[in-house]
Amino acid sequence: MFANKAVFAAVIACCAAPAFAADIVEPVPVVEPAPVYQAQEFGGWYIRGDLDYHKPDFRGADYITYGTPPGTKSFDSGDLRGAFSLGGGVGYQMTSYLRTDLTVDYWFKSKFTGHTSCDNCASTDTSKMSALLLLANAYVDLGTWNGFTPYVGAGIGGARVKWDDLHNVIDSDDTIHKGTSNWRFAYALMAGASYCLTNNLAFDAGYRFSHINGGRMFQFNGAGPGFDKGFNTHEVRGGLRYSFGGGANGCYQPPVVAYEPPEPLYTK
C-alpha cells in the first residue's frame, strides 16, 4: 500500500513541475540607446580683420601735351613704394569647403617717383597714392589637417584711387598738377591657410594679387591731364577670423563623449 502511494506522489510531482515552470517569466534585458554625438555644424557667420604689406607695380602713365603739334606723351619711368593697409569684412561659411565674404581695405599712401622728358628738358615727378579697395570674395577651403586649413579664392569689386598733387620739377621750377580721385574696377586672386586658435577663432595668413584698372592721375596745368595705366599689386596678409557658430573657421570639433556600457536592467 505504501509503495503505491509513493509511486502516485512521484507521478503527480512530475506532472505538476511543467505547470509551475510555465508561471516563471524569463528576465528581459533593457538595452540602453547608443550615445548620440553632435555633428559638425556649418552655415556660420564670421567677421575678419587683416593687416597687410602691399607693393603696387606702376604700369605707366600718359599725359596730354599742347605743343606743336599737340599730342600725348608717356612717363619715361615711374615707381610706387610699398605701404601697409588695414582691412575688415564679414563672411558666411556655406559648406565645409565653400565660404564667401565682403571685405574693405584701406591702403595707406605709397610714395610715387617718376621721370618725364622733352626736347630740351627732363623732370622729376613726385606724388603719393592711396586707395580704398572693396571686394566680394569666394574661397574654397581644401580640408583641415591638425588645425591647418589651406584655401584658394578670388574676388571682384572696385577701388577708389586717390592721387595727391603731382610736383613736376625741372631744374628749380616746380609745377604743381592737382591730384584726382576716382572709382575703378578691381579684382583679386588669393591663396593662404588658416590655423585654429580656438573653436571660434582662427589666424589667417596668405598672399593676394590684386589688379586695379587705370584712371585719371592729375589735372591740367600747362600739360595734362594725366592718366595712369593701373596697378598690379602683390600683398602679404595676416589677420584673425572670428565665427559666431561652430564650423565657420573649419575649427569646430564635436564634443568627446565618454561612453561606458550600463549594467543590464531586468524586469519581471
Side-chain angles (χ1 to χ4, degrees), residues 82-101:
F84 288 94
S85 74
L86 288 175
V90 58
Y92 190 78
Q93 185 87 34
M94 302 173 67
T95 70
S96 60
Y97 295 100
L98 181 63
R99 57 187 171 88
T100 62
D101 60 30

Side-chain angles (χ1 to χ4, degrees), residues 251-267:
C251 298
Y252 179 79
Q253 297 295 329
V256 178
V257 179
Y259 175 71
E260 295 181 358
E263 295 182 0
L265 301 177
Y266 299 92
T267 61

Side-chain angles (χ1 to χ4, degrees), residues 45-189:
W45 290 95
Y46 64 85
I47 57 175
R48 63 181 301 158
D50 299 285
L51 171 69
D52 91 355
Y53 180 81
H54 59 272
K55 177 63 173 70
D57 178 18
F58 184 72
R59 304 176 65 221
D62 298 326
Y63 59 96
I64 298 174
T65 60
Y66 299 91
T68 304
T72 301
K73 298 194 67 175
S74 301
F75 275 69
D76 297 334
S77 64
D79 178 70
L80 277 165
R81 293 185 180 178
F84 288 94
S85 74
L86 288 175
V90 58
Y92 190 78
Q93 185 87 34
M94 302 173 67
T95 70
S96 60
Y97 295 100
L98 181 63
R99 57 187 171 88
T100 62
D101 60 30
L102 299 174
T103 58
V104 55
D105 293 89
Y106 177 73
W107 291 5
F108 294 102
K109 292 182 178 181
S110 297
K111 184 177 179 180
F112 170 77
T113 302
H115 299 278
T116 59
S117 61
C118 57
D119 292 339
N120 300 308
C121 65
S123 70
T124 298
D125 302 86
T126 59
S127 183
K128 291 181 180 179
M129 185 274 292
S130 59
L132 186 69
L133 180 63
L134 303 176
L135 291 173
N137 309 289
Y139 310 87
V140 177
D141 293 328
L142 303 177
T144 301
W145 296 271
N146 297 321
F148 287 94
T149 304
Y151 65 84
V152 293
I156 189 172
R160 184 170 179 81
V161 175
K162 182 180 184 303
W163 282 101
D164 287 356
D165 293 347
L166 179 79
H167 291 257
N168 177 260
V169 179
I170 301 176
D171 296 327
S172 59
D173 183 16
D174 184 2
T175 302
I176 298 176
H177 298 263
K178 184 175 177 59
T180 66
S181 59
N182 46 72
W183 282 99
R184 311 176 183 189
F185 173 76
Y187 68 84
L189 302 172

